[in-house]
Amino acid sequence: MASIALDRTDVIVGVDTHKDSHVAVAIDGLGGRLGVHHLPATNAGYADLLAWATALGTTYAFGVEGTGSYGIGLARFLRRQGVKVIEVSRPPRAGERRLDGKSDPIDAENAARQVLAGRAATTPKLADGIVEAIRLTRIARNTAVKAHTQAIVALKATLVTAPEHLRVALEPLSDHKLMVACAALGTDGDPADPAVAMGHVLASLAQRWLDLHDEIKTHTTRLKALTTTAAPDLVAAFGIGPDIAGELLVAAGDNTDRISSEAAFAKLCGACPVPTGSGKTSGRHRLNRGGNRQANAALYRAVIVRMRWHAPTIAYVERRTAEGLTKREIIRCLKRYLAREVYALLPPTAAPTAPTAEAA
């Protein structure tokens, strides 16, 4: 990609972000290094950084690493001030780090030079609307589901070593009935007695599973309401539903206008084919191993559902199989088609709200 045409008076600031402090390096429009600035990760530090950059010349843009984590506060502050923010997500190659070394100022300067060269041009997610609420809800739900699974796996593994009378009575039960029965086990007695210890462990794991079961229901209800409000047509699409819709919405962000086309969305989801041909073997493609892998997995789950139950998809699979494509190649094609469909169903970017006095 060609570099941006700027003047000597233009300033690009690259920022290497950390939890408590950031390091910024400014370069001019011709690539000359102007200076280094260290700042705390606070609103006062962000204001001081902006004043420092403004004093150097006409600020073109800030290239910020980690705009979805440690750099989110700085990105939000700069957007409120009307400053252009570009997400810099890819560190330099290992060979470059071997030659240039590794430090916070070096990483910050690399961020600035990526913006100048045009290699970094991604608009960060706003993370201040309903999609951010969906992301947070999914974090709570996913961690609960993981702990829920761990609890039942641990209980069943422990039950294998239980006394025979207890094992014979509990093993035939369904999961929920097993948990209810285990939660009702008595835990009184000598803690040193293995039978008492077994009852205590089974009751504890079962009660944890039951509590998480109720928690997951709460998160699921909340997620369904949020996704239906944000993108009802997307949730209603065949094979998608609240969970897959939530993952795809999080990948796109609150400001969906940052994704310029359906092809860009497919690339974001790792669903675009990657050309591998050259010379006489031109026209060949392979699976894309990049992009947002969680969004790619969400597309995969939706495609698998459609391959089983969606009549047009079933007909497509039969036709492409007759043409000689493998199942893997067909799934790749279907994910690409689904990415195009999802892009058309993404909600438009909401109008920005005025910041509060505390936020400003």
Side-chain angles (χ1 to χ4, degrees), residues 43-355:
N43 279 344
Y46 304 153
D48 185 46
L49 171 64
L50 183 58
W52 172 77
T54 303
L56 295 175
T58 304
T59 304
Y60 170 75
F62 278 73
V64 182
E65 291 185 356
T67 58
S69 55
Y70 291 146
I72 191 170
L74 174 60
R76 285 172 175 167
F77 176 87
L78 293 173
R79 278 197 300 265
R80 289 197 298 267
Q81 308 305 316
V83 178
K84 182 178 181 180
V85 182
I86 296 176
E87 181 177 4
V88 180
S89 57
R90 180 171 294 179
R93 296 178 181 271
E96 296 176 19
R97 288 198 165 185
R98 189 176 299 112
L99 293 174
D100 299 335
K102 169 73 171 74
S103 69
D104 295 341
I106 289 175
D107 288 347
E109 183 174 348
N110 174 74
R113 296 196 181 280
Q114 285 196 51
V115 175
L116 178 62
R119 293 195 301 270
T122 304
T123 302
K125 299 176 185 178
L126 291 178
D128 60 359
I130 190 171
V131 174
E132 178 66 5
I134 291 172
R135 184 185 73 86
L136 296 173
T137 302
R138 294 192 78 258
I139 290 174
R141 183 180 182 278
N142 291 346
T143 53
V145 168
K146 184 176 181 179
H148 189 250
T149 302
Q150 289 174 338
I152 193 170
V153 169
L155 185 142
K156 289 187 174 182
T158 304
L159 185 59
V160 171
T161 63
E164 184 177 356
H165 72 279
L166 193 61
R167 193 173 69 251
V168 169
L170 294 176
E171 282 185 343
L173 300 177
S174 64
D175 287 350
H176 194 272
K177 289 182 178 180
L178 172 64
M179 295 303 166
V180 172
C182 288
L185 292 175
T187 59
D188 296 332
D190 183 7
D193 185 352
V196 174
M198 176 63 68
H200 170 73
V201 170
L202 292 178
S204 175
L205 290 172
Q207 190 58 55
R208 183 186 307 170
W209 188 92
L210 292 170
D211 291 341
L212 288 167
H213 190 71
D214 293 336
E215 180 184 340
I216 292 168
K217 284 184 177 180
T218 301
H219 295 319
T220 301
T221 301
R222 191 178 184 90
L223 179 63
K224 184 176 181 180
L226 288 169
T227 53
T228 302
T229 301
D233 293 336
L234 179 60
V235 176
F238 197 103
I240 293 184
D243 183 59
I244 293 177
E247 185 62 69
L248 296 173
L249 287 169
V250 170
D254 283 293
N255 49 330
T256 53
D257 59 353
R258 75 192 188 96
I259 304 173
S260 59
S261 65
E262 55 89 13
F265 180 72
K267 186 174 183 179
L268 171 66
C269 297
C272 62
V274 177
T276 58
S278 178
K280 294 182 179 180
T281 60
S282 61
R284 298 177 59 184
H285 297 81
R286 66 167 175 82
L287 292 171
N288 190 337
R289 302 298 183 186
N292 186 313
R293 302 316 298 173
Q294 289 75 27
N296 188 278
L299 291 176
Y300 176 84
R301 294 196 299 272
V303 163
I304 294 301
V305 171
R306 291 187 172 196
M307 290 174 68
R308 180 64 179 86
W309 304 104
H310 191 227
T313 303
I314 294 172
Y316 176 84
V317 172
E318 293 175 350
R319 177 171 63 85
R320 298 294 274 174
T321 301
E323 294 174 359
L325 267 68
T326 64
K327 183 178 179 181
R328 192 177 193 179
E329 292 170 329
I330 293 171
I331 291 175
R332 174 181 64 78
C333 295
L334 287 172
K335 285 196 295 185
R336 180 63 181 87
Y337 291 142
L338 182 57
R340 180 181 297 123
E341 179 182 337
V342 169
Y343 177 77
L345 298 176
L346 291 176
T349 299
T353 56

